[in-house]
């Protein structure tokens, strides 16, 4: 069969898969340019169509007209936990355990120090040498301040390492999905191993929240952090979230003791007393335009179960991998082929990965590059269809076959890659 025939056959199958998907129709909830296949929702999610009107209302009515009264009238004060519960539903956390606040980096700092205080006398923290850099930097810094020692152990070796460290272990801190390769790690198994030696587990959900049934409560997680601007579509700089399991909340002493985490913030007392429940994870006044934009963004998930979202995600990434195979694209996959071992992205390796990504972007297929040789393509199942996946695979083939990536303009790097 010619490439064209193969592409037509794949597209016909993809069209059927889109029609049968539990997520059919969700693409219409997003504002995306017609000439773009957006495969970077794991970096900055697309704009949900519900957001602009809400932000306009917050600016013009809630802020412009109602002014300070909106803290009560529009419940700005309760927004961080209200939106936290919406995120909680998507990551398998019962209400009252998630707060939308700060950045992932800051929340990780709070979580690591808080975990150390929950496990006094234990001195070791395990984390992944291949973590996103902020996880390494913040874990190192927080551990240093808490008198803990960080050991870098790859998640594939975590269970054995946990048993070896034994009762010196305070915390394991891992990402559930590797940001570069898209590999999904076994949250329940690593958490269970940590609990078996009396330690805690903290999970970074930046690349899993909004695309899979993370199951924090069911998996026994103690703490978790994650981004609001990736698959949750909260917009650039959207606040992140922090999960503290209910059973730890009374004893969770986080280091950033800001007034909004106080038990009685408006009594303006000179000494800190943590609020009951998840509110103690708050710090200072949040960026409300962004918190409320995230709340509006999450309406795209109404009526969808995390299991359906996961099924659609795997179906779309599987379609992309199958299409690459059928079209004869011969690049090594950095992402596991087994569905149960991958998140919602497909990463390919190429020695000129940066230039390949630029050539794809010039064709309207927007993904990103990660050092050293990764073409990273994220498939947000709410707005990336099976047909998009097939078209993207054809673009990859054409960029490679035509050696388009060798054009000099594709070697130029901006500040953000
Ligand atoms: C795994 C992981 N953690 C953290 C971050 C970023 O954290 P922050 O929200 O503090 O910028 C990213 C961003 O890409 C990430 O991929």
């Amino acid at each position: 069969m010619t490439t064209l025939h193969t592409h037509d056959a794949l597209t016909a199958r993809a069209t059927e898969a889109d029609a049968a998907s539990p997520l059919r129709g969700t693409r219409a909830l997003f504002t995306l340019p017609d000439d773009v296949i957006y495969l970077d929702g794991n970096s900055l999610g697309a704009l949900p169509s519900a957001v602009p009107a809400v932000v306009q209302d917050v600016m013009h009515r809630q802020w412009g007209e109602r002014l300070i009264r909106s803290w009560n009238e529009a419940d700005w004060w309760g927004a961080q936990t209200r939106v936290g519960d919406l995120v909680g539903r998507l990551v398998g956390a019962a209400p009252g355990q998630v707060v939308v606040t700060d950045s992932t980096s800051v929340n990780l700092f709070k979580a690591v120090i808080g975990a150390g205080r929950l496990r006094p006398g234990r001195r070791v923290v395990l984390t992944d040498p291949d973590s996103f850099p902020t996880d390494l930097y913040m874990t190192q810094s927080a551990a240093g301040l808490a008198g803990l020692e960080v050991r870098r152990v790859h998640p594939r070796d975590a269970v054995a390492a946990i048993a070896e460290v034994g009762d010196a272990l305070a915390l394991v801190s891992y990402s559930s999905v590797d940001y570069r390769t898209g590999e999904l790690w076994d949250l329940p198994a690593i958490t269970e191993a940590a609990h078996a030696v009396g330690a805690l587990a903290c999970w970074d959900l930046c690349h899993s929240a909004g695309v899979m049934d993370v199951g924090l409560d069911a998996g026994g997680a103690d703490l978790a952090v994650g981004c609001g601007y990736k698959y949750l579509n909260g917009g650039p700089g959207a606040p992140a979230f922090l999960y503290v399991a209910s059973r730890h909340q009374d004893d969770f002493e986080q280091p950033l003791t800001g007034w909004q985490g106080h038990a009685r913030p408006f009594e303006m007392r000179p000494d800190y007393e943590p609020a009951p429940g998840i509110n103690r994870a708050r710090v200072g006044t949040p960026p409300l335009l962004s918190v409320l934009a995230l709340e509006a963004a999450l309406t795209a998930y109404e009526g969808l179960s995390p299991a359906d979202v996961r099924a659609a995600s795997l179906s779309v990434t599987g379609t992309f991998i199958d299409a690459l195979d059928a079209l004869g694209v011969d690049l090594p996959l950095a992402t596991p082929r087994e569905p149960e071992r991958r998140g919602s992205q497909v990463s390919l390796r190429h020695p000129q990965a940066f230039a390949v990504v630029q050539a794809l972007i010039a064709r309207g297929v927007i993904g990103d590059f990660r050092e050293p040789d990764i073409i990273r393509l994220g498939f947000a199942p709410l707005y990336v269809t099976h047909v998009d996946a097939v078209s993207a695979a054809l673009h990859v083939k054409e960029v490679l076959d035509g050696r388009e990536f060798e054009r000099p303009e594709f070697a130029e790097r901006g500040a953000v890659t």
Side-chain angles (χ1 to χ4, degrees), residues 223-387:
L223 298 155
V225 298
C227 284
Y229 51 76
K230 296 183 192 291
Y231 292 121
L232 299 181
N233 310 306
F241 63 89
L242 173 59
Y243 161 91
V244 182
S246 298
R247 63 187 176 281
H248 296 306
Q249 287 177 359
D250 286 350
D251 301 313
F252 181 68
E253 288 178 26
Q254 61 102 345
L256 303 181
T257 49
W259 76 288
Q260 293 217 357
H262 195 280
R264 283 176 288 275
F266 289 94
E267 292 183 14
M268 307 291 167
R269 294 175 174 232
D271 294 314
Y272 187 76
E273 182 194 334
I278 192 65
N279 271 311
R280 66 179 51 196
R282 292 166 65 163
V283 182
T285 307
L288 272 155
L289 288 172
S290 289
V291 174
L292 300 172
L294 175 59
E295 181 172 39
L298 292 172
T299 59
Y301 282 92
E302 279 172 7
L304 300 178
S305 75
D308 280 348
V309 173
R310 171 67 168 158
S313 153
L314 287 180
S315 181
V316 173
T317 50
T319 294
F320 179 68
I321 294 170
D322 290 348
L324 291 175
D325 290 344
L327 292 165
V329 175
D330 187 21
L331 284 189
L333 278 185
T335 308
R337 283 179 175 267
E338 305 92 304
E340 66 283 1
R341 288 184 53 217
R342 67 171 185 263
S344 200
Q345 79 193 52
V346 179
S347 296
L348 304 164
R349 293 189 191 277
H350 188 282
Q352 282 166 272
F354 177 80
V356 173
V357 168
Q358 299 313 302
L360 285 169
I361 292 172
R363 286 167 163 260
V365 180
I366 302 181
D368 60 26
F369 160 75
R370 284 293 173 266
E371 292 284 358
D373 61 353
I374 299 268
I375 301 163
R376 190 176 74 152
L377 305 171
F379 293 80
L382 269 67
Y383 53 79
V384 179
T385 63
H386 295 80
V387 169

Side-chain angles (χ1 to χ4, degrees), residues 42-43 102-106 108 131-135 175 177-179 204-207 225-230 238 240 370 376:
N42 49 341
S43 205
D102 303 305
S103 62
T104 304
S105 306
V106 172
L108 194 61
S131 276
F132 185 81
T134 213
D135 294 52
S175 284
V177 171
D178 184 293
Y179 78 104
D204 181 329
L205 306 181
C206 280
H207 293 272
V225 298
C227 284
Y229 51 76
K230 296 183 192 291
R370 284 293 173 266
R376 190 176 74 152

Side-chain angles (χ1 to χ4, degrees), residues 206-220:
C206 280
H207 293 272
S208 44
V211 283
M212 64 181 60
D213 37 1
V214 175
L216 284 179
D217 288 348

